Amino acid sequence: MRIDKFAAEQTGISRSDAKELIKRRKITVNGASVTSADMHVDPEKDEIIIGGKPILYRQYMYIMLNKPAGVVCATRDELSETVLELIPPELRRKGLFPAGRLDKDTEGFVFITDDGALAHKMLSPRSHVEKEYEVTLERPAEESYKELFASGMTIDGGEKCMPAQLFFTDDDHVVRLILHEGKFHQVKRMMEAAGNKVTFLRRTRIGGIELDPTLPLGGCREILHKETLKLYAK
């Protein structure tokens, strides 16, 4: 792989910026300064340092983000801050996108990657990847909700939902809800169909990967490739 291509793909800078770093002797390979942008490197074997920082090659990037309310799940938005803008420089690179969405006012786990094949599989209705939510309600949850949600309820517009699992907590205004699909505003619409209203919503798990409880709002961390196998675990 050309060194300018490697630098652009792994750090998110442009290839012209990479060439400028090469001119300024800011990129080294195995301890020697790079002098030509068309120099070829072996990303998996060579020690590559850009701007004083060692860069480890990753074919794909996987990121867990704890999304705050007010941030949109998009790669670009004219009016609001996007989830990509929260990614720190050391994890930022070209091609990243949120695999799935959370409403603007919803908090919690957003999975960000540049692995299109994995995202497609994860989001496919056939995969039925579980998503778990912490749901705060305007009125106390009722015992009838369990059976109602498990039956595969019909929401406004006549849409039929897949069976969902609801669990009570110590707080009668807070429930845990597990979905196997991702319809538009689904949690809110399901609760409205049940005669209640969501006042706060947070996604806490995708598949077998739980939101890191130490991750602050707006914070993110890398997910190792081997961890992504847990996406399909239940």
Side-chain angles (χ1 to χ4, degrees), residues 146-195:
K146 273 194 174 184
E147 185 176 347
L148 179 62
F149 279 71
S151 67
M153 64 193 302
T154 299
I155 54 180
D156 62 289
E159 284 188 82
K160 181 74 173 178
C161 296
M162 293 179 63
Q165 289 73 52
L166 183 142
F167 301 90
F168 296 105
T169 69
D170 293 337
D171 185 336
D172 59 7
H173 282 80
V174 179
V175 297
R176 290 170 43 233
L177 184 64
I178 297 175
L179 302 184
H180 305 267
E181 58 186 342
K183 298 182 185 296
F184 181 69
H185 292 320
Q186 184 171 352
V187 176
K188 296 173 183 176
R189 292 164 69 198
M190 290 174 81
M191 285 300 176
E192 286 176 2

Side-chain angles (χ1 to χ4, degrees), residues 117-172:
L118 182 141
H120 177 75
K121 181 181 178 182
M122 185 186 90
L123 297 173
S124 170
R126 295 180 180 180
S127 296
H128 301 313
V129 172
E130 290 186 351
K131 288 95 174 176
E132 184 171 341
Y133 298 84
E134 173 192 310
V135 189
T136 303
L137 301 171
E138 186 176 70
R139 297 188 297 101
E142 299 178 11
E143 188 65 36
S144 61
Y145 290 0
K146 273 194 174 184
E147 185 176 347
L148 179 62
F149 279 71
S151 67
M153 64 193 302
T154 299
I155 54 180
D156 62 289
E159 284 188 82
K160 181 74 173 178
C161 296
M162 293 179 63
Q165 289 73 52
L166 183 142
F167 301 90
F168 296 105
T169 69
D170 293 337
D171 185 336
D172 59 7

